[in-house]
Amino acid sequence: SENLGIMKLSTFLVIPSLLAVFALSSCTATGGRSRDESKILQGKMSFYSIRTNGGRHTASGERLNNGANTAAHKTLPMGTMVKVTNLINGRSEVVRINDRGPYIKGRIIDVTVGVAKKLDFINAGVVPVEVEILD
């Protein structure tokens, strides 16, 4: 009967501990919240600058700023905030969509040269990217 009491006590302590471990293991690197996979895009990322766009305004009407955390996407609404992650080195930045493009097959986003420097892909020019649409 003493062993039965110890088994009940250990079961009482072990099960909640296991549940906590399983709950924590389901957390992601997104601060404990799970990601909505329908908001994740993958493809290639490139960058552009005032020099490459000829100093023209962006599709939103803003003048392109090389240092701004902004980007071009073909279809996302203007003002959409996205997290772009360079899949080569894991570096991420949050950017705002304010332009249209890129129009080269396989590329899904163009970021400013300033963002490209932060994500460390100036020399590569084009890298695989994950784009997470933020709420």
Side-chain angles (χ1 to χ4, degrees):
S1 104
E2 185 178 321
N3 284 343
L4 187 58
I6 290 172
M7 285 176 56
K8 285 181 181 177
L9 180 61
S10 64
T11 302
F12 178 76
L13 295 173
V14 169
I15 290 181
S17 298
L18 288 173
L19 290 174
V21 167
F22 287 124
L24 287 174
S25 69
S26 69
C27 292
T28 66
T30 58
R33 59 185 168 84
S34 59
R35 298 187 326 167
D36 180 348
E37 294 301 319
S38 69
K39 294 184 176 186
I40 305 294
L41 310 170
Q42 289 194 338
K44 293 182 181 172
M45 169 173 57
S46 51
F47 66 91
Y48 70 134
S49 67
I50 292 170
R51 187 178 62 100
T52 58
N53 97 331
R56 296 184 313 268
H57 286 85
T58 64
S60 68
E62 298 173 50
R63 187 168 291 281
L64 181 63
N65 176 342
N66 285 340
N69 273 31
T70 56
H73 187 274
K74 290 179 214 140
T75 59
L76 288 174
M78 295 295 171
T80 300
M81 301 298 289
V82 298
K83 178 180 166 186
V84 291
T85 303
N86 176 343
L87 295 177
I88 298 294
N89 62 22
R91 291 187 184 188
S92 297
E93 284 291 319
V94 173
V95 299
R96 179 176 48 86
I97 303 300
N98 75 336
D99 205 359
R100 291 292 172 227
Y103 296 106
I104 296 173
K105 187 176 180 177
R107 296 189 195 178
I108 63 169
I109 196 162
D110 266 342
V111 296
T112 61
V113 67
V115 172
K117 288 176 183 175
K118 292 175 187 176
L119 297 178
D120 192 25
F121 77 98
I122 291 290
N123 290 336
V126 178
V127 293
V129 66
E130 179 179 276
V131 176
E132 180 179 3
I133 302 166
L134 304 175
D135 293 329

